[in-house]
Amino acid sequence: MKINIYYGGRGIIDDPTLLVLSKMTDVFKELNVQVEQYNLFEQKNGITALPGTLKNADGIILASTVEWFGVGGYMHSFLDACWLYGDKDKLTKLYMAPVVMSTTHGEREGMTELQSAWETLGGIPLDGICGYIADTATFERTESYQKLIEKKAENIYRNMNQKMESLPASNQAVKNTVAITKITDLTPQETEQLSRYVSNDEYVQTQKKDIQELSSIFRDKMDKEQAVGKTEDYIERLKNSFKPVASLHAVYQITLIDQTKDKDILIRVDNQNLECKEGESSSFDVHVSMNTSVLDQIISGRMTFQRAFMEGNLKMKGDFKLLRNMDQLFDFK
């Protein structure tokens, strides 16, 4: 006969659950029972693979300590893994005895929670052990407590060995009619690998950095494509709205500060002639810089170059008189 123990506590030295498990293990070994204990806190990255260890067991013990509220996250993770990856046929024949000790309160609720969860999984829950331990040292020295644990362990062994029958539970009915496990294409081993990666902070941070870099590359590419299209629209509107000013010779450069680089608009005016294109010039008479939203307002006729400058939405370098000429050169309607 073999009994597996799954301990969901933190493994601290004065954990009363460990004392109970130690005493129960001694009793089981005296009864020629093979005992194997799995400390979930030591195998937190491989919990998804642990349901495979249930196959060779005749019965199991789920043990945890209530330190503030409930049986703890490790035990819940193990039960989740049993639900997702456990052999349902094996679970229906597997006996489970809960051991829940408390250093605060809630040991009975914790034991009931484990029994209910095991029933929902399809297994057979047995009466277990629960208790409130204020002082571990006193608990260890109290002979009556030790004898009680021995008796409980013997009863657990007897029930598992004799395959004691139990009445049907509503939790099992719910499982059969409503609760359907979502099918996953991942094996427990693949999920374990993913869990190891997720729990590796360095790996997670590297992945986040790579994702950010890729996102930045695609975003810049999209912005660049959009900028090209929008700059071409601006140039077309400027050409269509051109209204020559006699004896005007000037070079204007418009920089859109919220666009990608190398998307400046270069405007050369020579009397009746207009040259408007993308690009920069080392020599210009007026250099203006603004956001695309400001240029959109100017081109739509809701704003002028001069007014945008006066309101601080446009910055310029060069001859202010030539800036005023821009409102005369382009008639946006």
Side-chain angles (χ1 to χ4, degrees), residues 37-148:
Q37 181 167 326
Y38 297 90
N39 296 324
L40 301 184
F41 70 92
E42 294 176 346
Q43 305 191 43
K44 57 184 179 182
N45 294 334
I47 286 180
T48 53
L50 286 180
T53 63
L54 297 172
K55 293 183 178 181
N56 297 323
D58 298 294
I60 70 167
I61 291 173
L62 298 181
S64 191
T65 306
V66 178
E67 295 185 80
W68 72 282
F69 186 83
V71 294
Y74 295 134
M75 184 57 68
H76 282 290
S77 296
F78 174 69
L79 292 171
D80 285 344
C82 290
W83 175 258
L84 293 171
Y85 306 114
D87 185 337
K88 299 302 188 294
D89 292 335
K90 174 64 178 179
L91 289 175
T92 58
K93 305 172 185 176
L94 195 58
Y95 289 85
M96 185 280 298
V99 173
V100 180
M101 309 306 289
S102 170
T103 57
T104 53
H105 60 85
E107 68 281 354
R108 294 186 182 278
E109 291 82 355
M111 185 170 71
T112 302
E113 180 182 2
L114 292 181
Q115 290 174 326
S116 178
W118 197 250
E119 281 181 333
T120 303
L121 286 170
I124 307 170
L126 301 173
D127 289 335
I129 302 175
C130 70
Y132 164 70
I133 306 301
D135 184 4
T136 305
T138 302
F139 172 68
E140 189 176 9
R141 291 194 301 265
T142 304
E143 186 176 350
S144 60
Y145 292 162
Q146 305 305 312
K147 289 183 178 180
L148 181 61

Side-chain angles (χ1 to χ4, degrees), residues 183-235:
I183 298 174
T184 176
D185 293 331
L186 297 176
T187 65
Q189 290 75 21
E190 290 171 336
T191 307
E192 179 186 358
Q193 292 298 321
L194 290 176
S195 300
R196 288 177 179 175
Y197 289 141
V198 171
S199 64
N200 188 324
D201 291 338
E202 183 178 352
Y203 175 84
V204 172
Q205 294 303 321
T206 301
Q207 292 300 303
K208 287 182 178 179
K209 185 178 179 181
D210 291 343
I211 291 172
Q212 289 173 353
E213 289 178 355
L214 288 172
S215 300
S216 178
I217 291 172
F218 285 117
R219 184 170 55 251
D220 290 344
K221 184 177 180 181
M222 293 177 64
D223 291 344
K224 188 174 181 181
E225 292 173 352
Q226 293 173 356
V228 170
K230 199 154 190 175
T231 303
E232 291 175 350
D233 292 340
Y234 290 145
I235 292 172

